Amino acid sequence: MTRQVLLLNSDKPEVLEALARRRDMNVRFMTRKVYADLYRDHEVAYVDNFADLTQVEQAAYELAVHGPVDHVIAATEKSVVAAGLVRVLLGVPGPGFDQSLWGAHKRAMKDRLRAAGLPVTDYAQAATVDEVPRAAERTGWPVMIKPVFGAASKCTYRVDSPEEFAERHRAGDFADLAGKRLPVQVERLVRFTHEYHCDGVVHDGEVARAAVSRYFLPPLRTSPNLNSGYVCDQTDPFSREVLDLHRRVVAALGLPAGVTHLEVFRTQAGPVIGEVAVRPGGMGISRMWWHAFGLDLWEEFVRVSAGEQPSRPAREPHPETIGRTRLPALPGLRERVLALPGVLEVLTPEECASPGHLEAYFTAADETAAETFISGLHELAGPSA
């Protein structure tokens, strides 16, 4: 029997490729008109923005005219809450509106995690950028400020004092954040030594598999051109602590199924949760998992989102440490990196769907060797990176 899937997506090619391999699914799409060319010859409804829930409601009913929907899948962080609304409106199983908020709205997420006794930094919500100092009185300075809805590290700023805030606000430094016209998440700065992420596959409310990786440099401290990391030793005591924390996060969010990307800070007092996303991590993390464990996180995302069992890895985990790094697509750089011992592959901008970037994947003897290898790759990229 062919199942009917409604996908909320932008231009994420990985989920489109995973769905294209499924002959047992008929897919309808909700997206923005700027991506119309990707969805020719399909049933499509358009929204200007997934945050406009009135448009999302109208688009959902437009697509429902074509028949009942079995599964609703949100492939981007911006569409998670919209997908929760669509499930409620159309009576489709899966995370409802509240559960979807916990996985995307930064204050609602932290409320839920803190209520479950999980470690998060102090936080407060400001109605506007102008209200940040008042919110910071409750959290304490210095703070990180960001939109309550947002992906990656866009419109995210560190501010050390009310005086610095006032000066930068007058200078227009936070104009992009104000332009979001969203409440602002104000969080007490976390003093940490390293930043990690734990990616997992959830089925039937349980973590089917998960693994801890470390960022070479925290995303806020490195250029997107050089975002890098490696898979950690999963038997390390800190990795075990993060894996247990990930399990508790999934339980606190009441997540029935999906792929998770949990960011964790390592502090002197132990791990502190940064954020959790209910979709595969970007910047090559899914491909790194494929090299390390023989699993495609986007394929798993489609499977468990459609109520299926996670797949079994086709092979044993790679015995060495697997690492990744983005690099600028400079002339001749791909060939130079491919010539290095230990490099598994270097994806072109077209292959990794990231204009101006290469993605390199490699093996190393251990975590220390992986860090040395990444440093060497960054040196090859030169100061322009």
Side-chain angles (χ1 to χ4, degrees), residues 27 49 52 63 100 105 131 162 171 221 233 327 332 343 346 354-355 363 365:
V27 187
N49 191 320
D52 188 331
L63 290 168
S100 298
H105 187 289
E131 295 296 315
R221 298 183 187 173
D233 176 0
L327 296 167
V343 172
V346 181
S354 180
T363 64

Side-chain angles (χ1 to χ4, degrees), residues 365-378:
D366 53 29
E367 294 181 20
T368 300
E371 295 209 358
T372 301
F373 202 99
I374 291 172
S375 295
L377 292 175
H378 290 183

Side-chain angles (χ1 to χ4, degrees), residues 217-300:
L217 290 174
L220 284 174
R221 298 183 187 173
T222 188
S223 160
N225 282 340
L226 299 177
N227 187 292
S228 311
Y230 52 85
V231 178
C232 296
D233 176 0
Q234 304 303 299
T235 65
D236 178 84
F238 186 76
S239 292
R240 289 185 177 276
E241 200 170 354
V242 173
L243 288 167
D244 181 64
L245 188 60
H246 173 263
R247 178 189 59 78
R248 294 166 63 198
V249 166
V250 168
L253 297 183
L255 183 66
V259 168
T260 53
H261 177 70
L262 172 70
E263 298 193 332
V264 177
F265 301 113
R266 185 169 191 165
T267 75
Q268 291 184 343
V272 174
I273 296 168
E275 294 174 3
V276 59
V278 188
R279 44 84 180 154
M283 300 287 187
I285 290 170
S286 180
R287 188 66 177 174
M288 181 174 71
W289 252 65
W290 185 83
H291 283 295
F293 307 113
L295 285 170
D296 182 332
L297 281 177
W298 282 102
E299 178 67 29
E300 299 306 293

Side-chain angles (χ1 to χ4, degrees), residues 54-334:
T54 299
Q55 288 191 28
V56 169
E57 178 185 13
Q58 293 171 344
Y61 288 139
E62 181 181 337
L63 290 168
V65 169
H66 300 286
V69 173
D70 298 307
H71 307 286
V72 176
I73 300 177
T76 68
E77 199 153 337
K78 293 178 181 178
S79 64
V80 168
V81 174
L85 175 64
V86 172
R87 293 188 191 99
V88 173
L89 292 174
L90 302 186
V92 178
F97 191 74
D98 284 353
Q99 285 178 299
S100 298
L101 272 178
W102 302 336
H105 187 289
K106 300 181 194 305
R107 196 225 68 245
M109 177 194 302
K110 296 290 174 68
D111 285 349
R112 188 74 180 176
L113 297 177
R114 174 160 282 178
L118 298 177
V120 296
T121 191
D122 289 338
Y123 61 94
Q125 180 174 306
T128 66
V129 172
D130 292 339
E131 295 296 315
V132 164
R134 185 175 300 174
E137 290 176 4
R138 303 198 297 275
T139 64
W141 299 86
V143 296
M144 301 296 296
I145 60 175
K146 62 190 82 170
V148 291
F149 287 115
S153 54
K154 295 177 181 178
C155 305
T156 299
Y157 299 97
R158 170 179 171 168
V159 189
D160 287 348
S161 68
E163 294 78 18
E164 179 191 342
F165 175 84
E167 181 180 348
R168 294 178 64 185
H169 194 18
R170 283 194 300 269
D173 286 6
F174 312 127
D176 57 352
L177 178 56
K180 290 282 186 181
R181 301 178 67 83
L182 290 169
V184 178
Q185 179 82 348
V186 180
E187 297 185 354
R188 178 70 180 263
L189 181 72
V190 178
R191 307 285 185 180
F192 62 94
T193 57
H194 302 98
E195 187 172 353
Y196 295 75
H197 56 92
C198 184
D199 303 274
V201 180
V202 179
H203 173 69
D204 201 19
E206 300 290 337
V207 178
R209 53 184 56 90
V212 180
S213 303
R214 181 180 149 186
Y215 290 109
F216 177 66
L217 290 174
L220 284 174
R221 298 183 187 173
T222 188
S223 160
N225 282 340
L226 299 177
N227 187 292
S228 311
Y230 52 85
V231 178
C232 296
D233 176 0
Q234 304 303 299
T235 65
D236 178 84
F238 186 76
S239 292
R240 289 185 177 276
E241 200 170 354
V242 173
L243 288 167
D244 181 64
L245 188 60
H246 173 263
R247 178 189 59 78
R248 294 166 63 198
V249 166
V250 168
L253 297 183
L255 183 66
V259 168
T260 53
H261 177 70
L262 172 70
E263 298 193 332
V264 177
F265 301 113
R266 185 169 191 165
T267 75
Q268 291 184 343
V272 174
I273 296 168
E275 294 174 3
V276 59
V278 188
R279 44 84 180 154
M283 300 287 187
I285 290 170
S286 180
R287 188 66 177 174
M288 181 174 71
W289 252 65
W290 185 83
H291 283 295
F293 307 113
L295 285 170
D296 182 332
L297 281 177
W298 282 102
E299 178 67 29
E300 299 306 293
F301 174 73
V302 167
R303 290 178 65 91
V304 297
S305 296
E308 300 175 8
Q309 293 276 351
S311 61
R312 294 176 179 270
R315 54 176 171 77
E316 292 295 314
H318 200 288
E320 293 189 296
T321 298
I322 300 295
R324 64 172 180 87
T325 187
R326 272 195 168 186
L327 296 167
L330 301 174
L333 182 59
R334 181 172 184 264

